Amino acid sequence: FMYSTVRVEPTPRLQVDEVKRTTGKLLRHCRREQRDKTKQKSVFFNLQIALFEIPPESKTKPKLVHLPHPFRTLEETKICIFTPDTQEKYQKLVQEEVPSATVIALKHLRSKYKPSSVKKKLCNEFDCFLAPSSMLANLAPFLGKPFFDRRKQPAAIELQKGSIRESVERAVESTRVMIGTGPSLSVHIASVDQSPEEIEDNIIRGMNKIAATLQGWGNIRTVHVKTDFSKSLQLYSSEEFSDSDSDSEF
């Protein structure tokens, strides 16, 4: 098992001043929303990326992009690891290196998590789902819509003795780039609980890494940013495409 190397382009296309201005506007909006007790707290800053062409990569294997300031840590994250049917073997390996993780064998996922309500409960119970790379394509039919709606598709890890903790930690601290069937995608890039400087750095440096997984900046049409309860604000538009909504108000 190997992690794919993401080449970082030397010159970010996002403008620092624009990112600061937009981030500040969204954080002020978040504080207003948090005062409204009828609404759930916003959790993520999300980058909404429109492409010119859909990359031909797998639609079932998220690409991991490590951020300069991870928005979650191994110690604070509820982790579920799907394993092959020999669960006892892998549960022992996982418990030795990541004792806080929950292990579910594929046969149990198939038999015990059939109703959509149970799948939704499973999706809500954990922050992060992981599995060996060889299992990812087989998992999709058994997970259901909630996993895709909430961008909780399992990411690939290595289940080999001595390297499990490092593999899990890297996956937990990375964001996922999931190629879909259309020319757009949404990527978690930061948490509203992070400092403004960390959020800005994640957006600028993180987007540069994300672009490298999507055939480079030449394939990026537009980039917008939003939180859970905000409108999207434009951060980038290619010279071939202009968008007049960059200064949208809430």
Side-chain angles (χ1 to χ4, degrees), residues 119-174:
K119 292 178 181 178
K120 185 176 181 179
K121 183 179 178 180
L122 175 64
C123 181
N124 292 335
E125 187 176 352
F126 296 95
D127 303 313
C128 184
F129 294 88
L130 308 169
S133 179
S134 59
M135 285 185 62
L136 294 185
N138 296 327
L139 284 172
F142 304 108
L143 294 178
K145 192 171 181 288
F147 283 81
F148 294 89
D149 288 345
R150 300 192 62 186
R151 297 189 290 281
K152 284 190 175 183
Q153 300 97 322
I157 57 168
E158 183 176 358
L159 285 182
Q160 293 185 4
K161 185 177 179 63
S163 61
I164 295 175
R165 182 180 178 85
E166 179 183 356
S167 181
V168 169
E169 187 168 30
R170 182 174 180 83
V172 166
E173 293 185 353
S174 298

Side-chain angles (χ1 to χ4, degrees), residues 184-197:
S184 62
L185 63 153
S186 181
V187 181
H188 294 325
I189 199 66
S191 163
V192 297
D193 296 323
Q194 292 180 282
S195 71
E197 293 76 17

Side-chain angles (χ1 to χ4, degrees), residues 45-225:
F45 274 74
N46 304 301
L47 292 181
Q48 297 181 311
I49 305 164
L51 308 174
F52 285 106
E53 297 181 358
I54 305 172
E57 281 84 356
S58 168
K59 304 298 187 291
T60 59
K61 297 182 180 180
K63 292 184 178 181
L64 297 180
V65 173
H66 200 263
L67 298 171
H69 310 284
F71 49 77
R72 59 189 172 201
T73 64
L74 182 60
E75 292 73 18
E76 299 172 345
T77 303
K78 295 185 68 176
I79 302 164
C80 178
I81 299 177
F82 298 118
T83 68
D85 288 342
T86 52
Q87 180 179 9
E88 293 75 15
K89 169 188 173 182
Y90 290 105
Q91 186 159 14
K92 183 178 179 181
L93 286 174
V94 170
Q95 291 300 309
E96 288 176 354
E97 299 187 44
V98 191
S100 61
T102 296
V103 174
I104 298 178
L106 179 58
K107 63 181 178 182
H108 292 148
L109 179 65
R110 286 195 300 252
S111 62
K112 297 182 179 180
Y113 295 89
K114 285 185 177 181
S116 58
S117 59
V118 179
K119 292 178 181 178
K120 185 176 181 179
K121 183 179 178 180
L122 175 64
C123 181
N124 292 335
E125 187 176 352
F126 296 95
D127 303 313
C128 184
F129 294 88
L130 308 169
S133 179
S134 59
M135 285 185 62
L136 294 185
N138 296 327
L139 284 172
F142 304 108
L143 294 178
K145 192 171 181 288
F147 283 81
F148 294 89
D149 288 345
R150 300 192 62 186
R151 297 189 290 281
K152 284 190 175 183
Q153 300 97 322
I157 57 168
E158 183 176 358
L159 285 182
Q160 293 185 4
K161 185 177 179 63
S163 61
I164 295 175
R165 182 180 178 85
E166 179 183 356
S167 181
V168 169
E169 187 168 30
R170 182 174 180 83
V172 166
E173 293 185 353
S174 298
T175 193
R176 290 162 171 71
V177 177
M178 191 71 184
I179 308 297
T181 56
S184 62
L185 63 153
S186 181
V187 181
H188 294 325
I189 199 66
S191 163
V192 297
D193 296 323
Q194 292 180 282
S195 71
E197 293 76 17
E198 289 175 331
I199 296 170
E200 293 159 10
D201 201 28
N202 272 7
I203 290 174
I204 294 170
R205 295 168 60 189
M207 183 58 217
N208 219 36
K209 290 185 176 184
I210 292 168
T213 73
L214 300 171
Q215 301 180 337
W217 276 101
N219 194 35
I220 307 297
R221 191 176 186 183
T222 60
V223 179
H224 290 72
V225 63

